[in-house]
Amino acid sequence: MRNYENLVIVKPTFTAEEIQSSINAIEETITSNGGEIATTDSMGMRKLAYPINKNERGYYHVIYYSIAPSAISEIERRFRINEDLLRFVTIKYDTNREVAAWNQLVEKAQKKAAAPAKEEAPVAETPAVEEAPVTEAPAAEEAAAE
């Protein structure tokens, strides 16, 4: 079992329920092929760098999971068929450094998911939370580059 990350961009024209059902279908695709989802990170609606199929925005969702390498081709085939997705990318974490970075990303996503569940953060604390990933990202890139 190797560690993978999938970033998917879902069409913005869907309602919240349709987006959630599309995300559930994506997660079902992974689990039906023997994958174990570690965590997910909903990044929300964002502006695209360039229009895709006349869409200027998209709903970004990241899924961290472990699966046998042979199942990736089937998962990507199903993603290509899925008309709800504008784009997707699969990232493999193979070396020890990459696996350590993957574990850090999973922990960060779990903390992010747990934070809103505990309590609503005051407006003054929100910028501090957003600044932390920016300072951590170069360290993760340096570790992956070495």
Side-chain angles (χ1 to χ4, degrees):
M1 300 275 277
R2 288 205 177 121
N3 298 324
Y4 292 91
E5 169 187 343
N6 263 104
L7 170 70
V8 295
I9 305 175
V10 181
K11 287 184 178 179
T13 55
F14 293 155
T15 64
E17 297 85 25
E18 290 172 329
I19 289 173
Q20 190 58 43
S21 67
S22 179
I23 297 298
N24 290 340
I26 292 166
E27 292 174 357
E28 175 63 28
T29 300
I30 293 169
T31 56
S32 66
N33 284 295
E36 298 174 11
I37 296 176
T39 189
T40 61
D41 185 11
S42 176
M43 298 174 69
M45 195 70 67
R46 293 182 177 224
K47 187 175 183 334
L48 299 172
Y50 55 90
I52 302 172
N53 297 334
K54 298 183 181 178
N55 292 304
E56 302 263 339
R57 301 178 64 75
Y59 185 83
Y60 286 65
H61 193 78
V62 182
I63 304 167
Y64 300 97
Y65 60 97
S66 298
I67 197 167
S70 59
I72 291 297
S73 60
E74 175 63 18
I75 290 172
E76 288 185 345
R77 184 187 72 80
R78 289 191 186 176
F79 284 176
R80 277 188 221 97
I81 293 171
N82 190 345
E83 294 180 0
D84 297 346
L85 300 180
L86 294 176
R87 291 283 189 272
F88 71 90
V89 65
T90 303
I91 302 168
K92 174 178 72 171
Y93 293 89
D94 199 20
T95 65
N96 288 338
R97 287 185 184 200
E98 291 172 345
V99 170
W102 183 84
N103 288 328
Q104 290 176 349
L105 289 170
V106 168
E107 289 175 14
K108 186 191 279 187
Q110 288 173 342
K111 287 179 184 176
K112 181 180 173 184
K118 290 181 181 177
E119 62 182 83
E120 292 292 329
V123 176
E125 292 181 11
T126 304
V129 174
E130 291 177 0
E131 292 173 2
V134 172
T135 58
E136 293 175 8
E141 291 174 3
E142 290 173 7
E146 294 178 346

